[in-house]
Amino acid sequence: MKLTSLQGACAAVVLALCGCTSTPPAPPPVSPVLPDQAPLPGQVLARNERLMIYVPAGGDSLRGLAARLLGSEDNDWQISEANGGLSKLEPGQPVVVPLKPQNPVGVWPGSYQTVPVLCYHRIGSVGGKMAVSSANFAAQMEWLVKNNYRVLKLGQLGPYLDGQQALPPRSVVITFDDGYESVYRFAFPVLKKLGLPATMFVYTDFLGAGDALTWPQLQEMSASGLMDIQSHSKTHRNLIERTAGETDDRYARNIEQEVVFPRDMLEKRLNTPVRHFAYPYGDANELVLDQLTRQKFNLAVTVNPGGNAFFAQALMLRRTMIFGDHDLEAFKARLQTSRKIGGAP
């Protein structure tokens, strides 16, 4: 946005903040001191509970300002969006800072936001259709970064679904299923290089066997802060199918074990909360959903493709599979970040 138009926008907001209908005298500087904080380096022209007009000083940055005022440097996109896609702060040029989410559910004229959750299994050359080559995976992640997508932690969808926290317009979540060692070998270095978070859903009976991850590898990824380790059940059985001779009572006890055992083991071994679940084969029924609710899980994912809007069911989130035969164009086509109002689900 050009300086003149930005200053005009800021002036309009100042009018709104002051409740004026005619041009007011220049407002006195507002104290920039916030509770338990040192003064901001620049000048606060006006503010209320929702908005601030701020004149940056030398050394100010979008991420630094977001960390000070919006709780996290990752909320810098909110300042950028409020100022026409501003890429950096310029000393002396006023900006609008939204102190509260302006559009927490992501609804715009004619469309609404959806957040794709992508699902990978193996990375490398082994595993047939389920295996995405290391080169393709790296190209996909690099494309996301270069095209201004924000890769989020799965847990960030919770406040968004509750209508409490807005998400960047181009948000995407990366997940891995089962717990293959190839994720540690090929995907984890890419995520570290680019600083991208992801979630790994593991079924605990698989760990340490064959081509599965080891506990030390899981602990290393979890300790990095980039890979969130969550539950994919104990045995990876289809949770809605009965085994031969499985009575109602036995089935209910078995489902409880599939939910409780991996949560307790992962929390004990990794010292991290486990409140997210991936259904084996993407299937769930009322008994499974009830068990997840009883055990305080707050997010769960299927393999039904598509993006997740603000009205998505937290325990039945959509998730889009990425296969080895998907080229970059096919990958791009699966990044559903918005839908037209009235469009198909």
Side-chain angles (χ1 to χ4, degrees), residues 103-254:
N103 185 11
V105 296
V107 176
W108 307 287
S111 66
Y112 56 88
Q113 181 176 11
T114 59
V115 180
V117 180
L118 306 183
C119 176
Y120 295 86
H121 285 76
R122 298 173 185 258
I123 306 297
S125 58
V126 177
K129 184 179 180 180
M130 289 292 192
V132 175
S133 74
S134 57
N136 281 354
F137 178 78
Q140 291 165 5
M141 298 301 102
E142 289 168 358
W143 188 88
L144 291 175
V145 172
K146 290 177 182 178
N147 288 274
N148 299 318
Y149 282 79
R150 289 294 183 99
V151 179
L152 309 177
K153 295 181 178 181
L154 181 66
Q156 291 178 260
L157 291 188
Y160 165 70
L161 296 176
D162 291 338
Q164 298 175 353
Q165 180 63 55
L167 294 180
R170 287 187 169 190
S171 293
V172 61
V173 176
I174 306 297
T175 68
F176 301 90
D177 274 9
D178 297 340
Y180 289 103
E181 186 272 342
S182 63
V183 174
Y184 174 82
R185 188 159 22 118
F186 297 119
F188 187 47
V190 174
L191 298 175
K192 286 195 295 184
K193 176 184 176 182
L194 299 175
L196 303 180
T199 294
M200 167 80 76
F201 291 105
V202 299
Y203 65 101
T204 49
D205 279 8
F206 181 46
L207 296 175
D211 56 355
L213 289 156
T214 65
W215 281 103
Q217 289 170 334
L218 272 181
Q219 289 163 346
E220 179 186 340
M221 290 194 294
S222 179
S224 74
L226 288 178
M227 189 71 81
D228 184 27
I229 311 299
Q230 297 291 320
S231 176
H232 196 27
S233 81
K234 179 180 184 292
T235 68
H236 203 275
R237 66 172 284 181
N238 190 312
L239 300 181
I240 69 172
E241 294 181 357
R242 305 286 188 97
T243 60
E246 194 173 39
T247 64
D248 288 349
D249 287 345
R250 186 65 180 173
Y251 172 64
R253 289 197 299 271
N254 287 342

Side-chain angles (χ1 to χ4, degrees), residues 25-73:
V30 178
S31 172
V33 180
L34 302 177
D36 302 320
Q37 286 188 341
L40 291 165
Q43 182 184 16
V44 178
L45 294 181
R47 67 172 293 171
N48 64 11
E49 291 184 354
R50 298 186 61 82
L51 294 170
M52 173 188 288
I53 306 298
Y54 180 67
V55 182
D60 265 327
S61 68
L62 284 172
R63 292 180 69 80
L65 194 59
R68 292 284 301 273
L69 299 177
L70 306 182
S72 169
E73 62 183 14

